[in-house]
Amino acid sequence: MRDKLDPADPALQGYETSVRGQTETQLHLWVSACLEDSVQELDRMIVTAPSDLRMAYPCYDSMADEIEITVQRIWWDIAIRRMRAGH
């Protein structure tokens, strides 16, 4: 009997994927709210991030990178919707 799960264990991978998905969803919603409130400065976004999001990213740089990626995805989604609406 094992006390620890092997990193390749499907149960552990599923859990990690679930947690990562929840964090990414929370980040997406929070960045969307910032953009809707006209908050677009990266420093201000990071400072106003919920504490659990700040804890999910080990340093300022990694959080800044994740915010920039999320902003790009949001703008991409908006552009795609606008292009589809135009056709």
Side-chain angles (χ1 to χ4, degrees), residues 31-51:
V31 170
S32 295
C34 286
L35 294 173
E36 286 173 7
D37 290 340
S38 299
V39 175
Q40 296 185 15
E41 301 85 23
L42 191 56
D43 291 336
R44 188 165 169 211
M45 290 174 123
I46 290 173
V47 170
T48 62
S51 59

Side-chain angles (χ1 to χ4, degrees), residues 5-26:
L5 290 174
D6 182 345
D9 190 309
L12 182 59
Q13 289 177 345
Y15 172 76
E16 288 176 352
T17 300
S18 173
V19 170
R20 187 177 24 232
Q22 290 172 359
T23 301
E24 288 176 6
T25 298
Q26 185 180 15

Side-chain angles (χ1 to χ4, degrees), residues 8 15 24 26 29 31 43 48 56 59 71-72 74-76 80 86:
Y15 172 76
E24 288 176 6
Q26 185 180 15
L29 292 172
V31 170
D43 291 336
T48 62
C59 66
V71 168
Q72 289 173 358
I74 291 169
W75 291 133
W76 175 261
I80 293 296

